[in-house]
Amino acid sequence: MKSILIPLMASVAIAAAASGATAAPDVVVSIKPVHSLVSAIMRGVGEPQLIVEGSASPHTYNLRPSNARRLEKADLVFWVGPGLEAFLEKPLEALASKATVVELEDAKGLEKLPFREGGPFEAHDHGEEGHEDHADGEAAHDHGHDHGEHEHGAYDTHLWLDPANAKAMAQTIETALIAADAGNAATYQANTKKLIDDLDALDTELAATVEPVKDKPFIVFHDAYQYFEHRYGVKTAGSITVSPETLPGADRVKQMQEKVRQLGATCVFAEPQFEPKLISVITEGTAAKSATLDPEAATLEPGPDLYFKLMRGIAGSLKDCLS
């Protein structure tokens, strides 16, 4: 497996394309939001395959035999990285031997936010996102490239929930596709330009959507929305659990019940993949409302438009519940 962040070599790859468009490479993508970006850039050339399908979450996913076969055949694999999709780390090493693997958490230009800790957000052990296999230290994870100033696990990995980060990912995806498939470089470039223009327009739209509720605090199921909050100035008052695969204990539930009572009429947001009964327990006897946020697009059909539906859905749910 060649796990690298593709260098900026698009112009060289274009020059090497002497015979026009070619067949698309075999591309595999880990999660729906990233798959949507890759799909948009590959539009008209081919369709990437998705690993975490349906309502599954990367936090709790187990690799299937069909996924393993896809990895064995892949020319190019895109994932966020082991901080989010820990279930993929060993299979990539074992199965994707002929693939170039691109960790998008290394994309140039990303803004990475550290975990929030203490009080309404509990404390992270920086292993809850699935890093149990790293008990011997981060040095055990070495794909031969520099991860910059942030080590894996030191920051929130829900990077796609800021359109500016989605743009940075798109540019890295474009470069990787051109390096793998220079014959279709012109299409990848045109698609990426359109995608970035669309992301800029989406950014403006989302800011306008949440503007009326920016000062109204709310509670989320798990602390996945920091990038959205940071971008648009909305205010999460706390999360029910740090990591969705670990249900909160009785003390934590009591803490969040008290937080909701302190806030008065607020909103507590569930997620479609995880236990909804907790939300009713926490809001019982209060003026709080409940609704659903879907940070990983569990309820959406994969494809190039999914990212836009995902982000509009989050903004719309916040506006509707908090208004």
Side-chain angles (χ1 to χ4, degrees):
M1 179 185 73
K2 300 165 285 183
S3 181
I4 58 175
L5 181 63
I6 302 297
L8 294 177
M9 55 183 293
S11 59
V12 176
I14 294 168
S19 58
T22 59
D26 194 330
V27 178
V28 176
V29 187
S30 58
I31 61 171
K32 285 181 176 180
V34 174
H35 179 270
S36 180
L37 300 176
V38 177
S39 296
I41 296 172
M42 292 187 69
R43 198 193 299 259
V45 175
E47 294 187 11
Q49 299 182 77
L50 175 64
I51 292 179
V52 183
E53 298 179 297
S55 61
S57 168
H59 297 285
T60 55
Y61 194 75
N62 292 313
L63 200 73
R64 300 172 181 174
S66 59
N67 302 144
R69 290 191 292 272
R70 289 174 181 175
L71 291 175
E72 288 174 337
K73 296 177 181 178
D75 299 311
L76 193 56
V77 178
F78 293 102
W79 66 324
V80 175
L84 181 75
E85 308 108 328
F87 75 91
L88 261 182
E89 190 169 11
K90 288 183 178 179
L92 285 175
E93 294 282 0
L95 300 172
S97 59
K98 76 183 187 77
T100 295
V101 178
V102 182
E103 288 184 16
L104 289 170
E105 65 181 15
D106 288 337
K108 184 178 180 180
L110 283 180
E111 181 173 17
K112 298 179 181 180
L113 301 176
F115 284 122
R116 296 185 284 201
E117 298 187 352
F121 295 104
E122 293 190 286
H124 287 259
D125 66 5
H126 304 298
E128 282 197 47
E129 293 283 348
H131 264 265
E132 294 85 353
D133 294 332
H134 287 178
D136 294 331
E138 291 295 332
H141 175 73
D142 180 14
H143 291 314
H145 57 284
D146 181 11
H147 296 291
E149 63 184 43
H150 297 277
E151 293 183 359
H152 289 310
Y155 54 86
D156 188 334
T157 52
H158 299 86
L159 298 156
W160 63 89
L161 291 178
D162 179 344
N165 278 350
K167 286 168 60 177
M169 291 181 178
Q171 289 167 333
T172 293
I173 292 164
E174 174 199 25
T175 303
L177 285 167
I178 290 173
D181 179 24
N184 286 304
T187 301
Y188 296 140
Q189 287 181 320
N191 286 344
T192 303
K193 182 181 184 304
K194 183 180 186 306
L195 175 59
I196 288 175
D197 289 345
D198 290 345
L199 289 169
D200 284 336
L202 176 69
D203 188 26
T204 301
E205 175 189 333
L206 297 177
T209 300
V210 300
E211 178 65 29
V213 296
K214 281 175 63 173
D215 296 324
K216 297 184 177 182
F218 54 95
I219 306 290
V220 296
F221 179 74
H222 88 288
D223 190 18
Y225 307 92
Q226 184 177 188
Y227 290 96
F228 191 97
E229 298 165 48
H230 183 69
R231 185 72 179 173
Y232 301 112
V234 294
K235 297 181 178 180
T236 299
S239 61
I240 296 170
T241 183
V242 166
S243 189
E245 66 264 35
T246 306
L247 293 179
D251 288 345
R252 182 62 183 171
V253 170
K254 288 180 181 178
Q255 289 174 15
M256 297 315 297
Q257 287 172 326
E258 179 59 29
K259 187 72 176 177
V260 170
R261 281 192 289 269
Q262 290 172 2
L263 291 172
T266 186
C267 223
V268 181
F269 288 97
E271 291 179 21
Q273 306 100 314
F274 303 110
E275 182 54 67
K277 292 181 181 178
L278 278 171
I279 306 301
S280 59
V281 169
I282 287 171
T283 58
E284 185 177 1
T286 74
K289 296 184 289 183
S290 63
T292 300
L293 295 176
D294 187 8
E296 295 157 6
T299 61
L300 299 177
E301 288 298 315
D305 298 326
L306 174 142
Y307 181 82
F308 295 85
K309 293 177 181 177
L310 164 67
M311 298 297 283
R312 288 180 177 124
I314 292 173
S317 292
L318 288 171
K319 181 180 179 180
D320 291 346
C321 196
L322 293 170
S323 294

